[in-house]
């Protein structure tokens, strides 16, 4: 699994946006973002 710096930066930005959108602390927004990614992945988006 190769993860580049750009991927980590994009993930961090996604976490920050999830924190704002869902009004959650950092850890909770991280978990929410991961759950959203899993849903998108299983739904074929």
């Amino acid at each position: 699994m190769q993860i580049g710096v750009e991927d980590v930066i994009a993930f961090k930005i996604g976490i920050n946006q999830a924190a704002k959108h869902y009004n959650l602390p950092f850890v909770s927004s991280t978990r929410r973002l991961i759950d959203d990614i899993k849903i998108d992945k299983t739904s074929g988006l």
Side-chain angles (χ1 to χ4, degrees):
M1 182 179 208
Q2 296 178 346
I3 298 174
V5 173
E6 296 85 10
D7 299 320
V8 174
I9 292 170
F11 190 68
K12 172 80 166 105
I13 291 169
I15 291 169
N16 290 338
Q17 289 178 345
K20 284 183 183 179
H21 185 267
Y22 297 115
N23 195 27
L24 296 171
F26 182 80
V27 173
S28 298
S29 62
T30 303
R31 185 165 184 93
R32 178 69 187 242
L33 180 61
I34 291 170
D35 289 343
D36 287 350
I37 291 169
K38 287 179 183 177
I39 290 169
D40 286 348
K41 199 171 188 179
T42 59
S43 67
L45 295 176

